[in-house]
Amino acid sequence: MAIAKDLRISLPVEGIPKKWYNLVADIGHLDPPLNPGTREPAKPEDFEPIFCKEIIRQEGCRERYVNIPGEVREGLVHLNRPQHLQRAVRLEKYLKTPAKIYFKREDMSPLGSHKGNTALAQAYFNAEEGIHTLTTETGAGQWGTALAMVSNLFDIDCTVFMVKGSYNQKPLRKTIMNTYGAKVYASPSPHTEFGKKVLKEHPETTGSLGIAISEACEMAAKDPNTCYSLGSVLNHVMLHQTVIGQETMEQMKIGEIDPDYMIACAGGGSNFGGFCFPMIGEKIKGKTDCEFIAAESNAAPSLTVGEFKYDFGDTAGYTPLLMMYTLGQEFIPKSVHAGGLRYHGMSPLVSAAMNKGLISARAYGQFETFEAGLAFARTEGIVPAPESCHAIKAAMDVALECKKAKKEKTIVFCLSGHGMLDLNGYEQYLDGTMKNSAAD
Amino acid sequence: MAIAKDLRISLPVEGIPKKWYNLVADIGHLDPPLNPGTREPAKPEDFEPIFCKEIIRQEGCRERYVNIPGEVREGLVHLNRPQHLQRAVRLEKYLKTPAKIYFKREDMSPLGSHKGNTALAQAYFNAEEGIHTLTTETGAGQWGTALAMVSNLFDIDCTVFMVKGSYNQKPLRKTIMNTYGAKVYASPSPHTEFGKKVLKEHPETTGSLGIAISEACEMAAKDPNTCYSLGSVLNHVMLHQTVIGQETMEQMKIGEIDPDYMIACAGGGSNFGGFCFPMIGEKIKGKTDCEFIAAESNAAPSLTVGEFKYDFGDTAGYTPLLMMYTLGQEFIPKSVHAGGLRYHGMSPLVSAAMNKGLISARAYGQFETFEAGLAFARTEGIVPAPESCHAIKAAMDVALECKKAKKEKTIVFCLSGHGMLDLNGYEQYLDGTMKNSAAD
């Protein structure tokens, strides 16, 4: 018995993309970020207190492709790229759907998620410019873990402001960042002026991503050899993550897979953007009819409930104003296990794609996504991250719609990470103490 | 800049071996297992209360190769086989060694360790014979997790007796087994006669692998449709694990890598056997001078301190007597994070290889192995399992010996698993509360 050819499609090491794809080149008009003081379009120098030059250049870049340096491609090997594209045959059987379901593996990185793809690029460019420390924020901990790990590859220090709620709930996330050598502070912290202010006004707060971003930016702005690194939202982050979608397109070509749906979870938008943007570029050119679905948490439903308007990326109002779907800079999402989806805004590029009707979005509750994750674990053998459970839930829903309509469609979704460090959520689901976040 | 060719050597899906390699065919005389009652060589029917027919056949098999069924090869795709062989360039630089260091990845299985390779084969053969439930024991939890996951692939139930100490210390290991749908009992448990007896005599005991094996065997023996599944020690387990070593040999051929040392950790011996046996077969034929080093825990130093003699595999004395290096059936190892290395005996095949001078062994303490694991995490980006840290420590020691002797040797070790579910150990190491197990 030969193994079915499309059960898994792999690429050799040389299949790691040589260029990043930039959707900015194809999407048409984009509203620029605004300087928070003047409310005029932000200039490159507005970003200089917190970002290194090459990152600022990429943030404003309009070229379709940006070269990936050899050192970054080699680093991507350490993240186990290229990652497999796999067919979920057993999930299809479980759903009794005529649809074919494929998924792109981002769970096989030693970090357990896709976050390393941009962390690596950011650490490299900062190290090249002589920056000795990167600061960042982390919610669930996946982003902080990624930056902590890749900082080692380029001999750079890493300081992580971790949302206090997560810091207390997920001590092992702190441990893994420490294992990789990073400093980890619970945010709000006494290490920044903004942190001190929040602690004074709300001593009992469990923090938020917005507050942690403010702290990390403040620390970066104070020291010329320290820069800030962001794990989602901005254009350069989306750019770096397109290795996911480019590999997937190459694998779909090899497997003769013509997707009707591409689905990914969306918090700040980096997994969704990285996975879908290269194919959205094809859609803009009229080369595919594929539908793109962003699966978000109903605890932070920026795309399905938020407004498309200028808003700050953080709580303090330190960042430029971004044109995006947002729930408001002061929105604090309910506590859900999918910490990576707890953000008030959405990547301006993903937001523009939504506003132009290129993509759609669905919001899901916590209970139903863990239910989907459990089905996936028991059929495909992988325990998915709570964030990824949202993409799985959407893929399962679409597959069941195909079943109802008796249509043999092809669904490709992104498994953004594994859930080995999120087993507490599964425990709550299994012992019956978890509620749907919308109903909390 | 092209990526160095030997940074990672991958195989396509069809590179999954088509046959298992059986060292029994090449090793010469092997002392047979003995019936615990008569002390005569055990007959196949002695194993029938607990094992299915094909497993018993494989246990006594003397053929050099055994075909791997197509369904099992397809299952191995779900375990992400073939796994990469990778060069630890950054670890080499850190050690300033002239030695080349390669490592075989078993951490990329969705289970986080190599244990699925045999779990899969055992679940398949049992399901084929109509067995509806598998029982087993687990210490650290890696083996139980593996059997829980693969049982789903073949629609079979799974009951795991988990050593009580681990059950209480590692609740998330229980959660992941439950997520995969397995029943998990703390051992000693009130579900077996032996468990009840131990609980009555030692109500405060934290259990041991030997006790948990006795419980799982007892439950299997009571029901004709229930069989027992063992994660290490026995010949058929070693057989199934040889996919590791066969892939590695193929990869070494592609990379023109001629190993001077092959190193793996050893508890019951399945990682070491699976990784080294195919190459030990070559050594017996005089085709290689490679040295093989088993890295064990000084908390259970069966190869370096134990005696080569007949002993029981479990505590109650239910199992056949095996000719092996052992610390005695009643030996209870100190509590160390490398739970997978806490076993009183050693695989009879590994023991025979040791007794014939084909391999050597080194024992390490807990602190020094976590120290090695941390260096590996910070250089290569992967947080290793505590068991794997023993192989890393041995590989680093050999690399430093090469440095002293100014010899450009080639070291290949097996990274048996990742440490995402063992971060408590890293926490203790980092906060300074961990002692070397020998010094406890």
Side-chain angles (χ1 to χ4, degrees), chain B residues 6 51 67 97 101 141 146 154 161 193 204 212 250 274 303 345 358:
Chain B
D6 69 346
F51 289 133
N67 274 332
T97 176
I101 307 176
F154 301 111
F161 291 89
E193 295 311 313
E204 299 300 320
E250 182 63 26
L303 286 171
L358 288 162

Side-chain angles (χ1 to χ4, degrees), chain B residues 260-410:
Chain B
D260 297 294
Y261 301 93
M262 285 179 77
I263 299 170
C265 63
S270 81
N271 187 255
F272 179 82
F275 180 59
C276 295
F277 280 2
M279 197 70 174
I280 291 177
E282 297 298 292
K283 184 158 185 170
I284 292 170
K285 291 173 211 149
K287 291 186 181 171
T288 176
D289 289 328
C290 183
E291 290 183 35
F292 304 93
I293 303 172
E296 58 182 11
S297 165
N298 66 10
S302 55
L303 286 171
T304 52
V305 175
E307 242 185 290
F308 188 54
K309 64 176 187 184
Y310 271 108
D311 193 13
F312 290 98
D314 68 335
T315 304
Y318 289 163
T319 70
L321 289 147
L322 303 171
M323 187 66 182
M324 61 183 178
Y325 284 90
T326 176
L327 297 154
Q329 86 191 81
E330 289 181 354
F331 179 84
I332 295 188
K334 281 176 205 143
S335 176
V336 287
H337 289 281
L341 306 185
R342 290 179 73 234
Y343 184 61
H344 68 273
M346 178 57 68
S347 149
L349 264 174
V350 172
S351 295
M354 179 79 179
N355 191 247
K356 289 171 199 281
L358 288 162
I359 68 169
S360 67
R362 301 185 183 195
Y364 293 107
Q366 175 158 266
F367 188 84
E368 60 192 338
T369 53
F370 270 92
E371 189 174 42
L374 201 85
F376 188 76
R378 292 188 181 176
T379 51
E380 296 299 323
I382 304 161
V383 178
E387 294 82 2
S388 316
C389 289
H390 291 69
I392 294 169
K393 170 65 179 160
M396 286 172 69
D397 275 6
V398 172
L400 291 173
E401 288 157 22
C402 292
K403 181 179 171 180
K404 213 171 166 186
K406 294 185 183 166
K407 287 194 173 162
E408 291 182 30
K409 300 280 189 179
T410 298

